[in-house]
Amino acid sequence: MKTIYKITCISSLLLASCGGGSDDGGTEPDPITTPKATTLIFPENNTECNEGAIISDTRSSVEFSWSAAADTDSYEINIKNLATGNSSSKTVTTTSDAITIDRGTPYEWFIVSKANGTTETATSATWKFYNQGVGTENYAPFPADVISPNRGATIATTTTVSLKWSGEDVDDDIVDYEILFGTNNTPTTSIGVTTETTLDATVTANTVYYWKVITKDSQDNTSSSEVFEFKVE
């Protein structure tokens, strides 16, 4: 009986050892990689888009396209109407998609790369373009973009802040910029007109300021930026 017991124990140990060997040699799941950012192709940046299918005097279908991104399963197309501020998004698995948008209107767009099994994403550059309108020969400038102070920034106590922005125009005929500035979230007070892309503003401590840029071109076309805000400590 003792001999039988010893054999049983040895057999159990051998089975346990074999089972452990199987676990050690098992195949681990492939790690999930982070998707990479794509490169935008069309509509091109800071240009007039004159391609696409015309649907009406006010609408056309434009084919947006971008390059394939590594480790990516789907793409989120983000488009913003710069005239109204309205944004829309759409997710596709291809590298192009036809989208109906307004004619004679400025837009900006970018792509977010996504991958299955992870919440990590990657975002492309943001491009601007004008969707061609009926008989348009000169386009209004694109709304200006803030450079500094950044939206929502808090800056150290000071008496003067240099407001800085960037401006673009398909026709490359920007004449000047007017800055509206104040403590109201819809600023209406002009603090100056300049041909530069920076202007100093007088400020006081512990105050939130709002500002926007009116861009004008040689044909008296204008565009208004979004309202930017910052706080002085």
Side-chain angles (χ1 to χ4, degrees), residues 3 7 25 28 31-32 76 83 119 130 134 142 144 159 189 198 210 220:
T3 301
I7 293 173
E28 296 183 358
I32 297 174
E76 181 185 86
T119 58
Y130 255 98
V134 179
F142 290 111
T159 57
T189 301
T198 183
Y210 301 87
D220 287 333

Side-chain angles (χ1 to χ4, degrees), residues 92-165:
V92 300
T93 56
T94 57
T95 56
S96 66
D97 194 63
I99 300 176
T100 300
I101 56 177
D102 293 340
R103 300 178 67 189
T105 302
Y107 284 90
E108 69 177 22
W109 70 293
F110 63 91
I111 300 291
V112 176
S113 301
K114 298 181 176 181
N116 299 332
T118 179
T119 58
E120 296 291 329
T121 61
T123 303
S124 72
T126 298
W127 281 7
K128 296 179 180 180
F129 70 95
Y130 255 98
N131 191 29
Q132 186 182 53
V134 179
T136 303
E137 296 182 358
N138 185 276
Y139 288 92
F142 290 111
D145 288 322
V146 66
I147 294 179
S148 67
N150 290 327
R151 187 195 300 271
T154 298
I155 63 176
T157 301
T158 183
T159 57
T160 303
V161 172
S162 291
L163 306 176
K164 298 180 180 180
W165 62 92

Side-chain angles (χ1 to χ4, degrees), residues 33-47:
T33 53
T34 301
K36 306 303 185 293
T38 183
T39 299
L40 305 183
I41 297 176
F42 187 86
E44 297 177 355
N45 194 30
N46 294 330
T47 62

